Amino acid sequence: MGEVYREINPSTRTLLGPGPSNVDPRVLKAMATPLVGHLDPDFLEIMDATMDMLRGLFQTKNPITIPVSGTGTSGMEAALCNVIEEGDEVLVCINGVFGQRMSDIVERCRGKLTTVEADWGQIIPSEKIKAALKKVRPKIVAIVNGETSTGVLHPLVEISEMAKEHDALFLVDAVTSLGGVPVKVDEWGIDICYSGSQKCLSCPPGLAPITFSEKAMQVIRNRKQKVQSWYLDMSMIERYWGSERVYHHTAPISMIYAFHEALRVLHEEGLEQRFKRHKTNGTALAVGLEAMGLKLLANEKYRAPMLTTVGIPDGIEDASVRKRLLNDYHIELGGGLGAFKGKAWRIGLMGYSSTKRNVLNLLSALENILSADGYDVERGAGVDAANKVFL
Ligand SMILES: *Cc1c(COP(=O)(O)O)cnc(C)c1O
């Protein structure tokens, strides 16, 4: 007979890592709504409202704007596998872990991969992209907007224009950026854009909102070969989310409830207000950390307000600091990824977690822990500097 385990009772944490972020209690409550069937008329209405609110968030009129069942990476797979056929030239911009992940997926889709790279913490020079475009004439240009491994927010408009000049589809990873900074799909000429539910949208992980332009849908409809993924084939998923309502896979009902509520919360706050809040809190954190003598690793001109990478000072032990933050203050930070492993902390201020209180609490907790470890920091400097931003 199986042992009967205790009911789960994890600690209440302040989630200030690279995702998931804390979830608004309204969203958790929506998840507890009783289930209906995935073709129930009430559910179809919820799907339509969800698509409508999602178009508002992506700032697009694209009919195909839906949440894919799966985490952010399923959005990445869906974006790439639907438009790549064997031998297609794909240009991927890499300045961190998630650009690398995109290239891996391109190769698994049997695309012909070309990469343009930049150092971690930097953006990719336009001339490099221009030269690569000329040389390989790709079908798709792909880039990460908010690189969560480095804290760089990459500008998109110029690359979009260059892609258009070469008649390439422009594909953008907005997993970290969507809901925290403007992502203007139509105005900026983005053909395919995907995100994740658990970062600035503050919903649990499990959905990947995605949008396809008409041009991208044409490419999908004109494929010679079937998409190699049955589950992520947009031409079939389109028939469930569109007017036909043909069963494809059972929608994760409770997650859609949650996502619907997260989008309601977001639109009640308003996009402009929400972007302003992320900017203010991100700036206050950055200024506070620098006042403590810490070094930020992303180029100052291109810092993402929702994700800050900060260098770990010499003589300070990464794991021990994060352990005490978690045990003594219930705050979760992220460790460094890839080239920044063991060298940086990643601090997220995403969605519901992006608050003045969280900024000030974190700066104060970090000050206590770092000074206990012998790091020379002027008492109160971080909190004072951050408070000046809030004033
Ligand atoms: C988190 C993240 C992903 C992957 O999302 P998962 O939900 O972990 O699958 C992809 N791209 C970026 C930029 C991310 O921050």
Side-chain angles (χ1 to χ4, degrees):
M1 227 182 34
E3 191 181 339
V4 176
Y5 286 90
R6 276 179 300 145
E7 189 179 0
I8 57 167
N9 186 27
S11 311
T12 304
R13 307 289 198 200
T14 300
L15 298 177
L16 302 183
S21 56
N22 286 117
V23 174
D24 190 311
R26 274 176 56 180
V27 172
L28 294 175
K29 192 170 153 223
M31 290 187 91
T33 306
L35 292 203
V36 291
H38 62 277
L39 292 169
D40 189 296
D42 288 357
F43 190 67
L44 300 183
E45 214 178 296
I46 294 168
M47 289 166 70
D48 286 345
T50 302
M51 285 191 284
D52 193 45
M53 290 191 282
L54 197 51
R55 284 185 202 107
L57 171 60
F58 273 123
Q59 307 194 44
T60 184
K61 294 199 170 67
N62 292 338
I64 305 304
T65 303
I66 60 159
V68 173
S69 309
T71 66
T73 307
S74 76
M76 191 186 283
E77 294 245 33
L80 292 164
C81 79
N82 276 281
V83 288
I84 300 175
E85 295 198 63
E86 190 164 356
D88 284 345
E89 296 277 358
V90 184
L91 181 64
V92 178
C93 304
I94 303 182
N95 60 347
V97 161
F98 292 101
Q100 279 165 356
R101 185 175 295 184
M102 275 185 166
S103 342
D104 190 350
I105 295 176
V106 167
E107 291 185 320
R108 286 162 192 257
C109 295
R110 312 268 181 267
K112 253 188 92 193
L113 173 71
T114 303
T115 61
V116 273
E117 309 200 13
D119 287 341
W120 284 49
Q122 302 301 325
I123 64 163
I124 296 152
S126 305
E127 308 80 65
K128 267 194 172 180
I129 301 175
K130 199 175 282 177
L133 270 165
K134 236 182 172 161
K135 195 165 154 219
V136 298
R137 308 222 153 247
K139 178 182 181 184
I140 301 147
V141 178
I143 190 164
V144 176
N145 184 202
E147 189 33 273
T148 323
S149 55
T150 66
V152 166
L153 184 70
H154 210 298
L156 299 176
V157 175
E158 194 190 353
I159 301 173
S160 175
E161 285 165 359
M162 290 194 281
K164 292 274 159 323
E165 272 170 38
H166 289 82
D167 204 29
L169 291 172
F170 186 43
L171 188 158
V172 172
D173 175 315
V175 176
T176 280
S177 56
L178 189 73
V181 292
V183 178
K184 302 184 180 183
V185 168
D186 288 358
E187 191 182 321
W188 295 350
I190 302 171
D191 290 296
I192 306 165
C193 190
Y194 61 88
S195 187
S197 52
Q198 79 276 24
K199 300 201 182 179
C200 288
L201 308 183
S202 279
C203 186
L207 289 176
I210 195 164
T211 185
F212 290 88
S213 70
E214 189 44 41
K215 188 174 161 198
M217 287 310 296
Q218 283 303 337
V219 167
I220 296 172
R221 291 186 193 114
N222 294 334
R223 287 178 67 101
K224 291 193 233 36
Q225 306 141 6
K226 282 185 182 177
V227 176
Q228 96 272 3
S229 165
W230 189 92
Y231 193 67
L232 297 173
D233 184 335
M234 236 2 99
S235 58
M236 290 196 284
I237 294 175
E238 178 188 14
R239 298 178 62 205
Y240 172 54
W241 282 85
S243 54
E244 291 178 71
R245 309 294 187 180
V246 178
Y247 164 71
H248 177 256
H249 66 272
T250 311
I253 310 283
S254 309
M255 277 306 300
I256 304 280
Y257 289 164
F259 193 55
H260 179 276
E261 189 61 18
L263 288 169
R264 268 169 33 84
V265 169
L266 178 139
H267 284 300
E268 274 173 32
E269 179 176 14
L271 289 183
E272 290 314 315
Q273 177 53 37
R274 196 176 178 92
F275 300 151
K276 204 172 126 200
R277 171 165 63 86
H278 280 83
K279 193 169 180 192
T280 306
N281 292 326
T283 305
L285 175 69
V287 165
L289 292 169
E290 286 183 327
M292 290 168 64
L294 297 167
K295 294 239 167 352
L296 304 192
L297 301 184
N299 183 325
E300 193 179 342
K301 284 193 282 186
Y302 305 107
R303 281 181 194 156
M306 71 289 289
L307 196 284
T308 300
T309 43
V310 55
I312 301 171
D314 289 340
I316 297 293
E317 208 204 318
D318 174 19
S320 144
V321 171
R322 281 193 288 130
K323 191 171 159 200
R324 274 173 291 160
L325 268 175
L326 195 66
N327 291 343
D328 302 345
Y329 299 89
H330 288 278
I331 296 174
E332 180 187 89
L333 290 195
L337 266 190
F340 285 171
K341 194 167 168 26
K343 298 188 183 130
W345 291 308
R346 292 184 301 151
I347 307 174
L349 291 170
M350 300 178 177
Y352 193 70
S353 293
S354 175
T355 64
K356 175 176 168 181
R357 183 180 72 162
N358 285 346
V359 171
L360 297 177
N361 283 350
L362 172 65
L363 289 170
S364 155
L366 259 185
E367 179 189 294
N368 287 341
I369 293 174
L370 292 179
S371 29
D373 284 1
Y375 177 73
D376 187 19
V377 51
E378 188 195 330
R379 280 294 184 172
V383 166
D384 281 354
N387 265 320
K388 286 205 183 91
V389 173
F390 291 123
L391 286 173

